[in-house]
Short mmCIF file of all heavy atoms in Angstrom, two decimals:
data_model
loop_
_atom_site.label_atom_id
_atom_site.label_comp_id
_atom_site.label_asym_id
_atom_site.label_seq_id
_atom_site.Cartn_x
_atom_site.Cartn_y
_atom_site.Cartn_z
N ASN S 92 102.18 94.45 114.68
CA ASN S 92 102.07 94.55 113.25
C ASN S 92 102.09 95.89 112.60
O ASN S 92 102.64 96.23 111.58
CB ASN S 92 100.97 93.74 112.70
CG ASN S 92 101.24 93.14 111.37
OD1 ASN S 92 102.35 93.31 110.73
ND2 ASN S 92 100.14 92.62 110.67
N HIS S 93 101.37 96.93 113.20
CA HIS S 93 101.08 98.15 112.65
C HIS S 93 102.16 99.18 112.96
O HIS S 93 102.02 100.15 113.66
CB HIS S 93 99.67 98.77 113.10
CG HIS S 93 98.61 97.98 112.55
ND1 HIS S 93 97.96 96.95 113.28
CD2 HIS S 93 97.89 98.11 111.47
CE1 HIS S 93 97.00 96.37 112.63
NE2 HIS S 93 96.91 97.06 111.46
N CYS S 94 103.37 98.81 112.37
CA CYS S 94 104.67 99.55 112.89
C CYS S 94 105.43 100.13 111.72
O CYS S 94 106.57 100.43 111.90
CB CYS S 94 105.47 98.50 113.69
SG CYS S 94 104.74 98.04 115.25
N ASP S 95 104.87 100.17 110.59
CA ASP S 95 105.48 100.81 109.40
C ASP S 95 104.93 102.20 109.16
O ASP S 95 103.71 102.19 108.97
CB ASP S 95 105.28 100.02 108.09
CG ASP S 95 106.18 98.83 108.08
OD1 ASP S 95 106.97 98.52 108.96
OD2 ASP S 95 105.98 97.93 107.14
N ALA S 96 105.75 103.25 109.14
CA ALA S 96 105.21 104.55 108.91
C ALA S 96 105.38 104.66 107.29
O ALA S 96 106.51 104.72 106.81
CB ALA S 96 106.07 105.69 109.58
N THR S 97 104.20 104.66 106.54
CA THR S 97 104.31 104.66 105.16
C THR S 97 103.68 105.98 104.65
O THR S 97 102.55 106.37 105.00
CB THR S 97 103.51 103.53 104.62
OG1 THR S 97 104.08 102.29 105.14
CG2 THR S 97 103.57 103.46 103.05
N CYS S 98 104.42 106.62 103.71
CA CYS S 98 103.83 107.88 103.09
C CYS S 98 103.61 107.52 101.59
O CYS S 98 104.53 107.35 100.82
CB CYS S 98 104.86 109.02 103.25
SG CYS S 98 105.24 109.43 104.96
N MET S 99 102.37 107.58 101.23
CA MET S 99 101.98 107.17 99.88
C MET S 99 101.27 108.23 99.20
O MET S 99 100.56 109.22 99.79
CB MET S 99 101.09 105.92 99.82
CG MET S 99 99.66 106.06 100.39
SD MET S 99 99.56 106.35 102.18
CE MET S 99 99.80 104.69 102.75
N LEU S 100 101.30 108.29 97.84
CA LEU S 100 100.58 109.33 97.04
C LEU S 100 99.11 109.07 97.08
O LEU S 100 98.53 108.02 97.34
CB LEU S 100 101.03 109.19 95.71
CG LEU S 100 102.47 109.61 95.44
CD1 LEU S 100 102.96 109.31 93.94
CD2 LEU S 100 102.79 111.07 95.66
N GLY S 101 98.46 110.18 96.96
CA GLY S 101 96.97 110.17 97.01
C GLY S 101 96.27 109.23 96.16
O GLY S 101 95.36 108.50 96.58
N GLU S 102 96.77 109.10 95.04
CA GLU S 102 95.96 108.18 94.07
C GLU S 102 96.21 106.73 94.35
O GLU S 102 95.43 105.93 93.78
CB GLU S 102 96.52 108.46 92.54
CG GLU S 102 98.09 108.36 92.41
CD GLU S 102 98.70 109.65 92.41
OE1 GLU S 102 98.25 110.55 93.19
OE2 GLU S 102 99.65 109.94 91.71
N VAL S 103 97.15 106.36 95.13
CA VAL S 103 97.27 104.95 95.58
C VAL S 103 96.78 104.76 97.01
O VAL S 103 96.71 103.52 97.44
CB VAL S 103 98.73 104.52 95.49
CG1 VAL S 103 99.27 104.54 94.13
CG2 VAL S 103 99.57 105.11 96.52
N SER S 104 96.40 105.74 97.65
CA SER S 104 95.93 105.52 99.15
C SER S 104 94.59 104.81 99.23
O SER S 104 94.19 104.37 100.27
CB SER S 104 95.86 106.92 99.85
OG SER S 104 94.76 107.67 99.35
N HIS S 105 93.94 104.69 98.09
CA HIS S 105 92.66 103.92 98.15
C HIS S 105 92.84 102.48 97.58
O HIS S 105 91.79 101.82 97.25
CB HIS S 105 91.63 104.64 97.30
CG HIS S 105 91.12 105.99 97.95
ND1 HIS S 105 90.04 106.01 98.75
CD2 HIS S 105 91.59 107.28 97.84
CE1 HIS S 105 89.82 107.21 99.27
NE2 HIS S 105 90.82 108.11 98.69
N ASN S 106 94.09 102.15 97.26
CA ASN S 106 94.29 100.86 96.76
C ASN S 106 93.80 99.74 97.65
O ASN S 106 93.96 99.82 98.89
CB ASN S 106 95.70 100.54 96.43
CG ASN S 106 96.22 101.29 95.16
OD1 ASN S 106 95.49 101.84 94.48
ND2 ASN S 106 97.52 101.00 94.83
N LEU S 107 93.19 98.69 97.10
CA LEU S 107 92.69 97.46 97.81
C LEU S 107 93.71 96.38 97.79
O LEU S 107 94.38 96.15 96.82
CB LEU S 107 91.38 97.06 97.31
CG LEU S 107 90.30 98.09 97.40
CD1 LEU S 107 88.94 97.57 96.81
CD2 LEU S 107 90.02 98.61 98.83
N ASN S 108 93.68 95.60 98.85
CA ASN S 108 94.60 94.46 98.95
C ASN S 108 93.90 93.21 98.15
O ASN S 108 93.31 92.42 98.83
CB ASN S 108 94.95 94.01 100.32
CG ASN S 108 95.85 92.89 100.44
OD1 ASN S 108 96.84 92.85 99.75
ND2 ASN S 108 95.59 91.90 101.26
N ASP S 109 94.03 93.21 96.94
CA ASP S 109 93.33 92.07 96.17
C ASP S 109 94.21 91.75 95.02
O ASP S 109 95.36 92.28 94.80
CB ASP S 109 91.91 92.47 95.71
CG ASP S 109 91.95 93.73 94.93
OD1 ASP S 109 92.97 94.18 94.45
OD2 ASP S 109 90.83 94.32 94.80
N GLY S 110 93.75 90.83 94.24
CA GLY S 110 94.56 90.35 93.03
C GLY S 110 95.71 89.37 93.28
O GLY S 110 95.80 88.96 94.42
N SER S 111 96.50 89.17 92.30
CA SER S 111 97.57 88.12 92.46
C SER S 111 98.69 88.60 93.34
O SER S 111 99.38 87.75 93.87
CB SER S 111 98.06 87.74 91.11
OG SER S 111 98.58 88.83 90.44
N GLU S 112 98.87 89.88 93.63
CA GLU S 112 99.88 90.38 94.26
C GLU S 112 99.60 90.72 95.82
O GLU S 112 100.24 91.42 96.40
CB GLU S 112 100.48 91.79 93.62
CG GLU S 112 101.18 91.57 92.37
CD GLU S 112 102.58 90.87 92.60
OE1 GLU S 112 103.35 91.50 93.27
OE2 GLU S 112 102.69 89.82 92.20
N ARG S 113 98.43 90.21 96.27
CA ARG S 113 97.97 90.64 97.49
C ARG S 113 98.83 90.07 98.71
O ARG S 113 99.61 89.19 98.47
CB ARG S 113 96.53 90.22 97.84
CG ARG S 113 96.29 88.83 97.96
CD ARG S 113 94.82 88.51 98.02
NE ARG S 113 94.48 87.15 98.57
CZ ARG S 113 94.35 86.92 99.84
NH1 ARG S 113 94.44 87.82 100.77
NH2 ARG S 113 94.01 85.66 100.22
N VAL S 114 98.85 90.78 99.83
CA VAL S 114 99.74 90.49 100.96
C VAL S 114 99.11 89.36 101.72
O VAL S 114 97.86 89.46 102.15
CB VAL S 114 99.87 91.73 101.89
CG1 VAL S 114 100.76 91.34 103.08
CG2 VAL S 114 100.47 93.00 101.11
N GLN S 115 99.84 88.33 102.02
CA GLN S 115 99.34 87.23 102.78
C GLN S 115 99.09 87.69 104.23
O GLN S 115 99.81 88.45 104.78
CB GLN S 115 100.26 86.05 102.69
CG GLN S 115 100.53 85.48 101.41
CD GLN S 115 99.22 84.90 100.84
OE1 GLN S 115 98.46 84.08 101.48
NE2 GLN S 115 98.91 85.24 99.61
N GLY S 116 97.87 87.19 104.81
CA GLY S 116 97.58 87.59 106.18
C GLY S 116 96.90 88.84 106.38
O GLY S 116 96.59 89.28 107.47
N ILE S 117 96.55 89.64 105.26
CA ILE S 117 95.88 90.83 105.37
C ILE S 117 94.55 90.63 104.58
O ILE S 117 94.48 90.09 103.48
CB ILE S 117 96.64 91.94 104.60
CG1 ILE S 117 98.03 92.16 105.34
CG2 ILE S 117 95.85 93.28 104.70
CD1 ILE S 117 97.93 92.62 106.77
N ALA S 118 93.47 91.14 105.15
CA ALA S 118 92.16 91.03 104.56
C ALA S 118 92.01 91.38 103.19
O ALA S 118 92.42 92.57 102.84
CB ALA S 118 91.04 91.62 105.48
N THR S 119 91.52 90.61 102.28
CA THR S 119 91.27 91.07 100.91
C THR S 119 90.20 92.20 100.93
O THR S 119 89.20 92.02 101.78
CB THR S 119 90.65 89.92 100.05
OG1 THR S 119 91.68 88.81 100.15
CG2 THR S 119 90.51 90.35 98.62
N GLY S 120 90.42 93.25 100.19
CA GLY S 120 89.59 94.44 100.19
C GLY S 120 89.87 95.33 101.43
O GLY S 120 89.04 96.08 101.90
N ASN S 121 91.15 95.35 101.86
CA ASN S 121 91.58 96.05 103.04
C ASN S 121 91.68 97.50 102.56
O ASN S 121 92.68 98.02 102.06
CB ASN S 121 92.96 95.49 103.44
CG ASN S 121 93.54 96.27 104.63
OD1 ASN S 121 92.70 96.70 105.48
ND2 ASN S 121 94.83 96.39 104.85
N ARG S 122 90.61 98.28 102.77
CA ARG S 122 90.55 99.68 102.25
C ARG S 122 90.97 100.67 103.41
O ARG S 122 90.27 100.75 104.39
CB ARG S 122 89.05 100.04 101.86
CG ARG S 122 88.92 101.25 101.00
CD ARG S 122 87.50 101.47 100.57
NE ARG S 122 87.44 102.61 99.76
CZ ARG S 122 87.62 102.76 98.47
NH1 ARG S 122 87.91 101.65 97.80
NH2 ARG S 122 87.54 103.91 97.81
N LEU S 123 91.93 101.39 103.06
CA LEU S 123 92.45 102.39 103.98
C LEU S 123 92.23 103.83 103.58
O LEU S 123 92.44 104.73 104.38
CB LEU S 123 93.94 102.15 104.32
CG LEU S 123 94.35 100.73 104.96
CD1 LEU S 123 95.83 100.66 105.00
CD2 LEU S 123 93.56 100.53 106.24
N GLY S 124 91.72 104.01 102.34
CA GLY S 124 91.67 105.41 101.76
C GLY S 124 91.08 106.44 102.66
O GLY S 124 91.75 107.44 103.05
N PRO S 125 89.76 106.33 103.12
CA PRO S 125 89.31 107.39 103.92
C PRO S 125 89.94 107.60 105.31
O PRO S 125 90.10 108.76 105.62
CB PRO S 125 87.79 106.83 104.14
CG PRO S 125 87.52 105.79 103.05
CD PRO S 125 88.89 105.22 102.74
N GLY S 126 90.33 106.57 105.84
CA GLY S 126 91.08 106.66 107.14
C GLY S 126 92.41 107.37 107.02
O GLY S 126 92.79 108.31 107.80
N ILE S 127 93.09 107.22 105.85
CA ILE S 127 94.45 107.80 105.64
C ILE S 127 94.18 109.26 105.44
O ILE S 127 94.89 110.10 106.00
CB ILE S 127 95.00 107.25 104.26
CG1 ILE S 127 95.51 105.81 104.63
CG2 ILE S 127 96.16 108.15 103.90
CD1 ILE S 127 95.97 105.08 103.40
N GLU S 128 93.16 109.69 104.72
CA GLU S 128 92.90 111.08 104.42
C GLU S 128 92.37 111.80 105.78
O GLU S 128 92.91 112.93 105.95
CB GLU S 128 91.67 111.18 103.44
CG GLU S 128 92.11 110.85 101.96
CD GLU S 128 90.94 110.85 101.06
OE1 GLU S 128 89.78 111.22 101.51
OE2 GLU S 128 91.10 110.51 99.91
N MET S 129 91.78 111.18 106.63
CA MET S 129 91.31 111.77 107.85
C MET S 129 92.41 111.87 108.82
O MET S 129 92.57 112.82 109.59
CB MET S 129 90.16 111.03 108.46
CG MET S 129 88.83 111.07 107.82
SD MET S 129 87.63 109.94 108.51
CE MET S 129 86.40 110.12 107.25
N ALA S 130 93.34 110.95 108.87
CA ALA S 130 94.41 110.79 109.81
C ALA S 130 95.72 111.57 109.49
O ALA S 130 96.47 111.81 110.32
CB ALA S 130 94.72 109.48 110.23
N SER S 131 95.88 111.82 108.21
CA SER S 131 97.07 112.40 107.74
C SER S 131 97.29 113.94 108.06
O SER S 131 96.38 114.68 107.77
CB SER S 131 97.34 112.21 106.26
OG SER S 131 97.43 110.87 105.99
N LEU S 132 98.44 114.34 108.56
CA LEU S 132 98.81 115.73 108.79
C LEU S 132 99.14 116.36 107.47
O LEU S 132 100.16 115.91 106.80
CB LEU S 132 99.96 115.80 109.76
CG LEU S 132 99.68 115.52 111.27
CD1 LEU S 132 101.00 115.33 112.01
CD2 LEU S 132 98.63 116.28 111.88
N PRO S 133 98.42 117.42 107.02
CA PRO S 133 98.66 117.98 105.72
C PRO S 133 100.10 118.74 105.56
O PRO S 133 100.57 118.74 104.50
CB PRO S 133 97.41 118.89 105.37
CG PRO S 133 97.01 119.27 106.82
CD PRO S 133 97.23 118.05 107.65
N GLU S 134 100.52 119.21 106.61
CA GLU S 134 101.76 120.03 106.57
C GLU S 134 103.01 119.19 106.28
O GLU S 134 104.00 119.86 105.91
CB GLU S 134 101.98 120.87 107.81
CG GLU S 134 102.46 120.01 108.97
CD GLU S 134 101.36 119.49 109.84
OE1 GLU S 134 100.13 119.48 109.45
OE2 GLU S 134 101.57 119.11 111.02
N LEU S 135 102.94 117.99 106.28
CA LEU S 135 104.14 117.15 106.00
C LEU S 135 104.47 117.10 104.55
O LEU S 135 105.57 116.70 104.15
CB LEU S 135 104.01 115.72 106.59
CG LEU S 135 105.30 114.99 106.85
CD1 LEU S 135 106.16 115.78 107.86
CD2 LEU S 135 105.02 113.52 107.30
N GLY S 136 103.43 117.33 103.70
CA GLY S 136 103.60 117.25 102.22
C GLY S 136 102.55 116.52 101.46
O GLY S 136 101.73 115.99 102.06
N GLU S 137 102.70 116.45 100.13
CA GLU S 137 101.83 115.77 99.33
C GLU S 137 101.64 114.34 99.74
O GLU S 137 102.64 113.65 100.12
CB GLU S 137 102.37 115.84 97.83
CG GLU S 137 101.42 115.16 96.86
CD GLU S 137 102.10 114.94 95.54
OE1 GLU S 137 103.33 115.19 95.46
OE2 GLU S 137 101.40 114.58 94.66
N GLY S 138 100.46 113.80 99.54
CA GLY S 138 100.13 112.34 99.87
C GLY S 138 99.60 112.15 101.22
O GLY S 138 99.16 113.19 101.80
#
Side-chain angles (χ1 to χ4, degrees):
N92 206 11
H93 294 91
C94 294
D95 283 355
T97 302
C98 299
M99 72 288 287
L100 293 172
E102 54 265 33
V103 301
S104 69
H105 289 269
N106 282 3
L107 298 178
N108 183 46
D109 56 15
S111 60
E112 287 290 294
R113 73 188 192 88
V114 181
Q115 295 301 311
I117 301 295
T119 303
N121 183 28
R122 188 179 186 87
L123 297 178
I127 291 172
E128 289 175 2
M129 291 176 188
S131 295
L132 295 171
E134 72 268 17
L135 200 63
E137 182 197 6

